[in-house]
Amino acid sequence: MTSLIETTDLTRILHEAVPVTLVRDVTLSIGEREFVAVTGPSGSGKSSLLYLLGLLDRPTAGTLKIRGRDAEPMSEKERAVTRLTNIGFVFQFHFLLPEFTARENVEIPMRKLARLTRAEMRERATGLLSSLGLEDHLHKRPDQLSGGQRQRVAVARALANDPPLILADEPTGSLDSKSSEQVFAILEALVNERGKTVVAVTHDLDMAARMHRRIHLVDGRISEEEGAKPGF
Amino acid sequence: MHLILDIAWTHIAGRGRQTFVAIVGVAVGVGFSIAMAALMQGGQDDFVRQLVDTMPHVEVSDEQRSARRQPAEDVFEVAAISGLRPRDDRRGIINPTAAQSWLEEWMPGRFAARLNAEGVIRYSGREVGAVVIGIDPEREESVSPIVEDFREGSFAALTAGGNNVVIGDTMASRLGAGLGDTITAVSSEGLTRNFKIVGLFHTGTTARDEGEAYVLQKNAQILSNRPNAINRISIKLDDPNAAPAIARRVEAELGYKAVAWQEANESILEALVVRNIIMYTVVAAIMLVAGFGIFNIISTITHEKARDIAIMKSLGFSEADMRRLFVLEGVAIGGAGSLLGWALGFSITYALSLVHFEIAATGQEMTRLPIAWSALHYLIATASALGSAAIAGYLPARRAAHLNPVDIIRGAT
Ligand SMILES: Nc1ncnc2c1ncn2[C@@H]1O[C@H](COP(=O)(O)OP(=O)(O)O)[C@@H](O)[C@H]1O
Ligand SMILES: [Mg+2]
């Protein structure tokens, strides 16, 4: 089994008047087809870790390898391309572009990558949205959708370029329990049926318990880890 | 990229009113720049055309630019001579026949020799100071701008011989004389001769209409007591722009002062250059103001769309993509403004070209505003509009591209 992401002593310190440590000495390895929960009290650095893993932020110390490749020497453009092809983000709030319809939002990463024809992109976006139960909402703009529907559109968008890694920051945090369950089931299916790796930050310990592996953060450090597959 | 275009469009379309104001700002700038350029260029072209049409392209006179080299300068190592002037030779251009046949050989154009004599024209007790110009009517016709300005008669009326004169209509009315009347010309030598008016011209240039009297060369020579003399050669070239080179050649060969029209009007031509500099400075200033409008709207968009910028970056858009996006928005506004500005500029220019009026006071009559229609004006205005739009878009775009998406995503609720 190859590792998707490997970090050693990953550290992120904000150099403010009083330096703030967001993440400290995180060493972990995440492989393919994993369903990983990142838990911890509020302010423990869960989001910060996720931004580092997703190449949105740069560590102040330590190394991060994505698919075996060191991210440190990458240019801003290479990091952008890596995000485009290898990583899908789902945030707590839907973060769709408000002027575009659900399907157009899902098409945006594909159009940016420009590997498919426009017709193929349309077909793929429609397929992704339908598989998430949104076949009746393809042409609605985000403000015409419910919170749960928007979050599912965001998931579809994260899957647009078929990346191996999905990073989700409290994807169910702003949803009611029914929608939460629905989104969770979708993430679970991504791992089990589509072979993706999903790393999801969650407050919900029940949900975390239903995932394959749990990483517990306290004050930016890994305080507890369970469920890691042998060999890591 | 098509995607960037689409996103840019949603941003611009989402702020219709503000975008419209920015576009109108650019359009007004471009429109007025075009109209102003048309008017300025038109005025300049008209002016230069008048210079070229009404003046000889090269005028050779019997003067010399510098005094002859003095023997003292050859004999002594150091010699200071003061108060030296070029000799004033009453005989005019020496050896005129040889000079003219030399010119005839190579001159790419036409020329005519004259004798200009200062004098006074008298008629029934009234007097007007005038230059009595002795011409060869046939040759003069080929170089003189007056040919087309005859009210009555023509140079040809002089050809027949006899004591005839052609004068300007202003002089005629000041003298109270008309066609067929006989006036008296008095030269500075005190010689007097009567001439019958056989032609009247009206050039529109007051100095000419009031102060020139054309007679046969022979008559002028008799009147000023300078047999066979000429003191001017007027050259009209096929290509007026070649005048300086031709003037240099003529001067080098004949030794007489040969002045190209550009030299004669040097200060005026320089003033035109200054005028153009001022005009393009004003155009630049207008575009700067239009640029502020664009800067304003693009700044607003980058602030409002900070969250979208963060989203796009998290999706895998690069900083360069973000810069391109907002520069494109600026340029799109600049482009739309330019197109509208073309229409506006064309309309204003057209409206100006319809204006009619009468001015005779300035010496040159005008009945219409001189307008130059030139695609170059549209190009220059558009180029400066697009340039200022690109800069106005680039400044906020660069800031927006630098935004750290993490700061925005973390801060969002
Ligand atoms: N720009 C910042 N300035 C100061 N402190 C910050 C900044 N960003 C985050 N923090 C702090 O860093 C810690 C980790 O934040 P975060 O990663 O969002 O935690 P979590 O997602 O686990 O709630 C928090 O205590 C937060 O207040
Ligand atoms: Mg968080």
Side-chain angles (χ1 to χ4, degrees):
Chain A
M1 180 175 249
T2 52
S3 79
L4 215 48
I5 287 192
E6 237 184 302
T7 71
T8 36
D9 297 332
L10 204 62
T11 301
R12 176 74 167 100
I13 296 169
L14 278 182
H15 295 286
E16 312 267 302
V18 181
V20 185
T21 303
L22 304 178
V23 173
R24 179 175 288 277
D25 297 333
V26 168
T27 300
L28 56 76
S29 177
I30 297 171
E32 283 178 4
R33 289 175 157 272
E34 286 208 68
F35 194 17
V36 184
V38 178
T39 57
S42 185
S44 58
K46 307 182 293 295
S47 299
S48 303
L49 176 61
L50 218 61
Y51 300 149
L52 289 173
L53 297 183
L55 305 187
L56 271 185
D57 202 4
R58 282 178 183 264
T60 39
T63 58
L64 183 148
K65 282 184 185 169
I66 181 152
R67 298 188 117 177
R69 195 163 162 230
D70 192 355
E72 182 52 33
M74 284 189 191
S75 69
E76 183 268 338
K77 201 174 165 68
E78 282 174 297
R79 294 163 74 89
V81 171
T82 308
R83 282 200 295 274
L84 186 65
T85 52
N86 287 311
I87 301 166
F89 276 103
V90 181
F91 298 104
Q92 177 172 3
F93 304 97
H94 64 87
F95 275 179
L96 300 173
L97 293 188
E99 296 91 352
F100 292 88
T101 65
R103 194 177 71 186
E104 287 167 345
N105 262 288
V106 177
E107 284 175 19
I108 285 173
M110 297 189 245
R111 292 174 67 184
K112 173 65 195 148
L113 189 61
R115 276 203 193 134
L116 304 177
T117 65
R118 279 310 293 275
E120 288 167 335
M121 291 178 195
R122 199 157 302 156
E123 199 177 316
R124 179 169 168 78
T126 308
L128 282 169
L129 287 167
S130 304
S131 72
L132 300 181
L134 291 166
E135 57 276 1
D136 296 333
H137 308 286
L138 298 178
H139 303 295
K140 289 187 181 168
R141 286 204 313 274
D143 57 4
Q144 297 163 322
L145 295 168
S146 74
Q149 288 166 336
R150 288 180 208 164
Q151 203 59 309
R152 280 182 280 156
V153 175
V155 173
R157 186 181 61 185
L159 292 170
N161 286 328
D162 203 20
L165 177 63
I166 306 290
L167 300 174
D169 192 357
E170 303 191 36
T172 61
S174 61
L175 302 180
D176 59 51
S177 59
K178 184 163 163 283
S179 298
S180 294
E181 192 51 48
Q182 206 173 12
V183 169
F184 182 83
I186 288 166
L187 294 178
E188 193 172 35
L190 290 184
V191 180
N192 295 337
E193 287 160 31
R194 296 194 196 225
K196 307 281 177 207
T197 289
V198 174
V199 179
V201 171
T202 180
H203 275 308
D204 189 330
L205 293 181
D206 288 342
M207 262 182 202
R210 288 156 62 192
M211 290 156 82
H212 301 164
R213 180 177 162 189
R214 281 153 296 281
I215 295 170
H216 192 71
L217 288 183
V218 174
D219 290 341
R221 292 173 189 270
I222 298 180
S223 75
E224 221 179 303
E225 204 182 345
E226 63 168 309
K229 291 182 184 170
F232 287 100
Chain B
M1 201 201 306
H2 202 246
L3 174 58
I4 297 278
L5 270 176
D6 274 5
I7 298 171
W9 171 248
T10 65
H11 288 176
I12 293 175
R15 332 203 88 260
R17 204 179 53 85
Q18 211 182 339
T19 304
F20 179 73
V21 171
I23 288 177
V24 168
V26 176
V28 169
V30 168
F32 276 89
S33 298
I34 289 172
M36 183 169 68
L39 203 53
M40 299 279 271
Q41 176 91 50
Q44 175 173 335
D45 289 354
D46 189 60
F47 192 81
V48 171
R49 197 178 324 111
Q50 293 218 5
L51 282 184
V52 169
D53 285 354
T54 56
M55 292 190 67
H57 297 159
V58 177
E59 173 134 294
V60 186
S61 66
D62 58 347
E63 292 163 33
Q64 276 151 341
R65 276 188 208 262
S66 54
R68 243 198 266 158
R69 192 167 169 79
Q70 299 299 302
E73 289 175 284
D74 292 332
V75 176
F76 301 107
E77 262 179 47
V78 183
I81 299 164
S82 63
L84 201 60
R85 278 192 306 118
R87 195 163 55 173
D88 201 6
D89 194 335
R90 276 198 34 85
R91 288 172 297 170
I93 294 173
I94 305 294
N95 214 346
T97 328
Q100 290 186 62
S101 55
W102 177 71
L103 287 174
E104 198 76 68
E105 275 169 33
W106 62 275
M107 181 61 55
R110 297 137 288 147
F111 66 91
R114 311 159 151 201
L115 177 66
N116 284 14
E118 295 296 329
V120 173
I121 307 286
R122 258 187 219 146
Y123 179 73
S124 66
R126 283 185 236 193
E127 281 189 0
V128 182
V131 186
V132 178
I133 304 172
I135 57 166
D136 170 349
E138 267 161 43
R139 298 208 76 128
E140 186 69 16
E141 273 186 352
S142 68
V143 302
S144 175
I146 295 179
V147 179
E148 283 160 22
D149 297 324
F150 274 97
R151 285 277 157 89
E152 277 161 295
S154 70
F155 283 136
L158 296 175
T159 322
N163 292 329
N164 294 328
V165 68
V166 167
I167 62 172
D169 62 347
T170 315
M171 184 193 285
S173 66
R174 282 189 55 183
L175 290 169
L179 202 68
D181 291 334
T182 300
I183 51 142
T184 306
V186 184
S187 71
S188 51
E189 279 72 32
L191 298 178
T192 307
R193 211 173 162 89
N194 289 337
F195 292 102
K196 188 171 147 215
I197 300 174
V198 294
L200 291 173
F201 58 83
H202 175 82
T203 61
T205 309
T206 312
R208 272 217 148 112
D209 294 342
E210 194 175 86
E212 290 187 352
Y214 291 84
V215 298
L216 277 181
Q217 214 163 65
K218 175 172 55 81
N219 287 332
Q221 286 161 348
I222 294 168
L223 184 67
S224 61
N225 194 20
R226 295 146 93 175
N228 296 323
I230 59 157
N231 58 8
R232 295 276 186 284
I233 300 174
S234 297
I235 303 172
K236 210 68 169 174
L237 296 169
D238 300 334
D239 172 17
N241 293 324
I246 304 264
R248 271 193 301 278
R249 180 165 173 192
V250 170
E251 184 158 339
E253 172 71 20
L254 298 182
Y256 289 108
K257 189 166 161 185
V259 178
W261 65 271
Q262 289 98 327
E263 186 192 344
N265 299 287
E266 205 175 358
S267 58
I268 292 172
L269 295 178
E270 270 168 17
L272 290 179
V273 171
V274 172
R275 218 170 74 126
N276 281 336
I277 292 173
I278 293 172
M279 178 181 83
Y280 284 110
T281 310
V282 172
V283 169
I286 295 175
M287 291 311 165
L288 188 69
V289 174
F292 280 124
I294 294 177
F295 178 85
N296 188 32
I297 181 172
I298 303 297
S299 280
T300 312
I301 291 175
T302 57
H303 280 112
E304 271 182 7
K305 293 293 180 188
R307 210 181 73 133
D308 292 18
I309 295 168
I311 297 171
M312 286 187 269
K313 283 182 125 183
S314 77
L315 290 178
F317 285 74
S318 64
E319 290 189 7
D321 290 326
M322 293 297 103
R323 271 197 301 274
R324 218 170 289 146
L325 172 65
F326 293 107
V327 169
L328 190 73
E329 289 174 20
V331 170
I333 292 172
S338 293
L339 284 181
L340 201 63
W342 288 4
L344 184 66
F346 186 88
S347 311
I348 298 175
T349 313
Y350 183 69
L352 287 174
S353 74
L354 296 181
V355 175
H356 272 257
F357 52 84
E358 294 278 341
I359 306 177
T362 52
Q364 275 299 334
E365 287 170 8
M366 253 189 186
T367 51
R368 276 169 184 275
L369 287 171
I371 299 284
W373 298 95
S374 165
L376 191 65
H377 300 153
Y378 291 74
L379 277 182
I380 290 175
T382 305
S384 47
L386 290 183
S388 100
I391 294 170
Y394 179 76
L395 297 176
R398 197 182 50 167
R399 224 202 62 253
H402 268 310
L403 278 181
N404 186 355
V406 170
D407 293 340
I408 294 157
I409 292 166
R410 213 195 286 277
T413 47

